[in-house]
Amino acid sequence: MPSQKSAANKPRIVMNGLAFGESPRWHDGRLWLCNWGTGEIIAVDAEGNSEVVLTVPAALPYSIDWLPDGRLLVVSGREGLLLRREPDGTLVTHADLRPLSKSPWNEIVVDGRGNIYVNGGGPAPAPGEHFGPGTIVLITPDGTIRQVAENIAFANGMAVTPDNKTLIVAESHANRLTAFDIGGDGGLANRRVWADLGNGFPDGISLDAEGAVWYADVPNRHCVRVREGGEVLQTIVVDRGCFACMLGGPDGKTLFIVAAEWRGFEHMISDARTGQVLSVEAPAPGAGWPSYISGRR
């Protein structure tokens, strides 16, 4: 099936003036996101009304999700810490990832059972490279920390299916989405290619109720909806790099895209504020984890 491109798929601008939006999550009726380079975590509604919810001691990378009890988790990537916001607003250390790796950590997803998956870390990059092979670590509800996958080619967005049985991760530098079976203890097994994306470079991802995955792509400046096996169902083209996407809105059928002009890793922290939040109607609502359902977390 050819990808669908039409004027009806033209996204609208929800918010301008971000540095680099990342790790978008639909939570409590608003889109939450990390504004990389500023330390801000921002919540914005569908009309573009925004609020800086908190500022964290991290420039980039950092990412967010929620525990089942509603407490916010923040991966402070370069510091190697998983932080937790308590009900009084204070930030405390939920897990220390530094013994596992000194390399920066990147994305997070919390499944429906409270298992926390964080990716990145891994061995130090080779000379001249920005990233080494990535890993995935698991933090269980009892606080146990262990590595559950390795040799991820630039680990990026992650999603867990609604039955808590499959984890999908974007391997940006391998041009693919990779799946793992999730065991009863939260461990990962049966690694396989979920979708070969050809010349696609998947960054953030979002899973929908029809079992398809939306992935954001920085160099190709679009978001793509794919089925398992790699069939392209829909493509949303924008005028700048797409860093991540998340299904949300009242019915879960709004695809939110965080995009910005890309000038290379060495220019990520700058005074440029080309970051945007965009939105477009999607054919199916969000599903699985990160969850879009308002009030669940």
Side-chain angles (χ1 to χ4, degrees):
M1 176 187 296
S3 63
Q4 301 171 6
K5 297 184 183 180
S6 69
N9 291 328
K10 183 176 176 61
R12 73 176 186 89
I13 298 173
V14 177
M15 183 181 181
N16 277 307
L18 295 169
F20 282 93
E22 264 286 10
S23 194
R25 303 285 188 263
W26 184 258
H27 173 75
D28 198 21
R30 294 188 293 179
L31 185 78
W32 293 50
L33 59 96
C34 299
N35 190 20
W36 281 13
T38 69
E40 297 171 342
I41 296 172
I42 294 172
V44 56
D45 65 21
E47 287 70 48
N49 302 304
S50 65
E51 172 193 2
V52 177
V53 181
L54 73 156
T55 301
V56 296
L60 61 89
Y62 57 106
S63 55
I64 57 173
D65 207 351
W66 281 263
L67 288 167
D69 65 11
R71 287 179 293 175
L72 176 69
L73 295 174
V74 183
V75 176
S76 184
R78 292 191 181 277
E79 291 70 32
L81 298 175
L82 177 61
L83 307 175
R84 185 184 70 243
R85 187 169 72 153
E86 296 294 80
D88 64 1
T90 57
L91 283 174
V92 300
T93 297
H94 187 82
D96 186 345
L97 305 178
R98 290 173 294 186
L100 283 77
S101 174
K102 298 297 187 290
S103 296
W105 299 89
N106 192 19
E107 263 289 3
I108 181 174
V109 65
V110 183
D111 75 7
R113 298 177 297 176
N115 288 317
I116 304 164
Y117 297 92
V118 179
N119 68 30
E129 298 291 327
H130 289 286
F131 299 95
T135 64
I136 302 176
V137 300
L138 165 69
I139 303 102
T140 58
D142 67 3
T144 301
I145 305 170
R146 63 188 173 100
Q147 182 177 305
V148 289
E150 62 182 354
N151 293 321
I152 308 293
F154 192 179
N156 244 312
M158 292 187 291
V160 175
T161 53
D163 60 6
N164 294 303
K165 291 184 177 179
T166 305
L167 181 143
I168 301 170
V169 59
E171 290 195 84
S172 298
H173 289 174
N175 311 101
R176 67 188 175 215
L177 300 176
T178 296
F180 296 86
D181 292 341
I182 301 176
D185 64 351
L188 302 181
N190 188 26
R191 179 176 183 164
R192 59 199 181 274
V193 176
W194 193 88
D196 184 335
L197 305 177
N199 67 345
F201 294 86
D203 199 316
I205 65 174
S206 187
L207 181 68
D208 73 24
E210 294 180 356
V213 168
W214 284 97
Y215 72 87
D217 188 320
V218 175
N220 290 309
R221 298 185 173 192
H222 60 204
C223 283
V224 181
R225 183 176 182 242
V226 293
R227 200 188 304 278
E228 185 174 5
E231 179 187 0
V232 174
L233 303 175
Q234 189 171 345
T235 301
I236 307 297
V237 177
V238 304
D239 66 353
R240 61 201 68 195
C242 296
F243 285 80
C245 54
M246 179 68 195
L247 288 159
D251 59 0
K253 294 178 69 174
T254 300
L255 181 72
F256 292 96
I257 302 167
V258 287
E261 293 180 8
W262 175 245
R263 300 184 178 91
F265 289 105
E266 61 275 13
H267 299 297
M268 286 193 71
I269 297 181
S270 72
D271 293 331
R273 293 292 182 264
T274 64
Q276 296 178 329
V277 177
L278 308 168
S279 71
V280 65
E281 185 178 351
W289 315 99
S291 173
Y292 82 90
I293 300 173
S294 180
R296 178 173 291 186
R297 287 186 179 165

